[in-house]
Amino acid sequence: MGITTTAHLNFRGNARQALEFYQSVFGGRLTVVTYGDFGMPNGLPDTDKVVWGQVEADNGFHLMAYDVPSQAEVTTGTAAASTTWRENGMTLTGQPYFMSIRGESVEEVGALWGRLVDGATVVEAYATTQWAPAFGMLTDRFGVTWILDVAARHTAA
């Protein structure tokens, strides 16, 4: 039996825009199903919001997302709780997770960085590091923090 793990991101009204953006970055097929598609009557506040959506690409990228219903209470903390930054060589954050994209070449991952950085806040620029051929971190326009890196090639001792 095999299993897979897929990130499922929760948005507050902009899941469709986020999914469309991620499709433009990573390619693949976009699926969006609204609350209205599931039978919510027209005229209610969330009819056009995403109840289930995904981007799935042949290269292995798979992401799911939805819009939290508008009547759900917002329990987020301060702005600092959702911010990520670098200080004294450390990554400091209040976020409970990061999205990680790892590829095999600097060029392949660099191309994804070049598209994902549009409208983002760069936490650490995409560049060569002491632990990987390339690494970068950013928080995209939807508030999701991404780590992009190139797998280090290890040789047997």
Side-chain angles (χ1 to χ4, degrees):
M1 177 179 114
I3 64 167
T4 60
T5 300
T6 302
H8 190 286
L9 303 178
N10 306 325
F11 294 93
R12 297 223 172 247
N14 59 351
R16 179 186 302 272
Q17 294 87 350
L19 287 163
E20 290 170 349
F21 177 66
Y22 298 144
Q23 180 192 32
S24 76
V25 171
F26 298 102
R29 294 163 301 286
L30 171 66
T31 304
V32 173
V33 180
T34 66
Y35 286 96
D37 295 334
F38 270 21
M40 180 182 277
N42 286 335
L44 292 179
D46 294 328
T47 303
D48 63 340
K49 301 297 184 220
V50 176
V51 69
W52 184 82
Q54 75 173 358
V55 175
E56 186 172 25
D58 293 338
N59 63 9
F61 181 82
H62 189 199
L63 178 94
M64 296 168 59
Y66 93 119
D67 285 313
V68 175
S70 60
Q71 66 268 26
E73 181 179 333
V74 176
T75 58
T76 57
T78 66
S82 65
T83 302
T84 301
W85 69 99
R86 297 276 296 165
E87 186 176 300
N88 299 321
M90 297 181 295
T91 301
L92 304 173
T93 189
Q95 293 187 356
Y97 67 89
F98 295 146
M99 295 295 296
S100 177
I101 299 295
R102 174 167 284 163
E104 295 189 15
S105 78
V106 172
E107 297 77 19
E108 170 191 37
V109 177
L112 295 173
W113 174 272
R115 293 189 294 271
L116 196 56
V117 76
D118 182 26
T121 300
V122 174
V123 177
E124 183 152 336
Y126 183 73
T128 301
T129 67
Q130 61 191 31
W131 66 87
F135 166 89
M137 181 183 272
L138 60 81
T139 301
D140 73 20
R141 63 176 87 166
F142 301 100
V144 177
T145 297
W146 295 81
I147 296 170
L148 285 80
D149 72 341
V150 177
R153 289 183 175 78
H154 299 285
T155 57

